[in-house]
Amino acid sequence: MSLTVRRVVTGHDKNGRAIVAIDETAKNVTQGRPGAHAAVIWTSEGFPVDNGGDADTSSRKVGTTLDNGTVFRVVSFGPGVTPRNHRTDSIDYAVVMSGEIDMELDGESVHLKAGDVLVQRGTIHNWVNPGKEPCLVAFILIWAKPVEINGKRFDAHG
């Protein structure tokens, strides 16, 4: 399995006119665990986001999330992808682009298919592809305060 994603990024020329600054197949595809390939499409740091400059932020070193920032990533989950139960200090917007996938939570699961969208609010979760085809998901992760319930903190670090 591999991942091919066309990445189009707009910007401005020296006169302030809107241009296509980048139009390419993503070059930074990685495999973080068996069965999953990912490409970071764009990142930003700080709020509000600065749309000036011409730096390509897709190559910025990030973990799953970026403190005080955003990460836009596309992931292909192959059938039988290796489990990775995790929590992030972010609010995550996900769009299932193709295929089907299950998101496991504490004691329950939700089945998502192409066209479905998800808002994941700092919950511990795992992605499982029990099907026969890869599932392609676009994620936008936005830095957030860790979840706190009844005085107990639930964050990405345990």
Side-chain angles (χ1 to χ4, degrees):
M1 177 182 76
S2 184
L3 175 63
T4 303
V5 178
R6 180 180 175 202
R7 186 173 77 104
V8 179
V9 179
T10 63
H12 300 90
D13 68 13
K14 63 182 180 181
N15 298 314
R17 294 180 48 87
I19 62 168
V20 172
I22 300 169
D23 186 349
E24 67 180 14
T25 299
K27 300 173 186 166
N28 60 349
V29 176
T30 61
Q31 182 176 7
R33 60 183 158 141
H37 290 82
V40 172
I41 305 304
W42 197 255
T43 66
S44 64
E45 199 166 17
F47 296 96
V49 172
D50 182 356
N51 278 327
D54 58 2
D56 180 354
T57 65
S58 68
S59 60
R60 178 181 290 156
K61 298 293 181 207
V62 297
T64 303
T65 60
L66 177 62
D67 284 356
N68 197 35
T70 69
V71 178
F72 178 20
R73 175 184 290 117
V74 175
V75 181
S76 179
F77 296 98
V81 61
T82 299
R84 179 180 171 245
N85 215 31
H86 64 288
R87 177 189 312 271
T88 59
D89 292 333
S90 58
I91 185 165
D92 306 345
Y93 305 132
V95 179
V96 180
M97 298 168 62
S98 65
E100 299 185 27
I101 198 155
D102 295 337
M103 184 184 66
E104 295 178 340
L105 300 167
D106 289 328
E108 68 178 287
S109 178
V110 62
H111 184 74
L112 302 166
K113 59 187 183 316
D116 289 347
V117 297
L118 166 78
V119 177
Q120 196 284 116
R121 300 175 54 225
T123 57
I124 193 161
H125 62 283
N126 181 35
W127 297 103
V128 177
N129 182 349
K132 297 184 185 320
E133 301 294 325
C135 179
L136 195 63
V137 183
F139 294 97
I140 298 91
L141 295 89
I142 303 169
W143 184 61
K145 295 188 306 186
V147 173
E148 190 171 311
I149 299 172
N150 297 324
K152 183 176 180 186
R153 185 175 167 143
F154 297 85
D155 64 16
H157 310 290

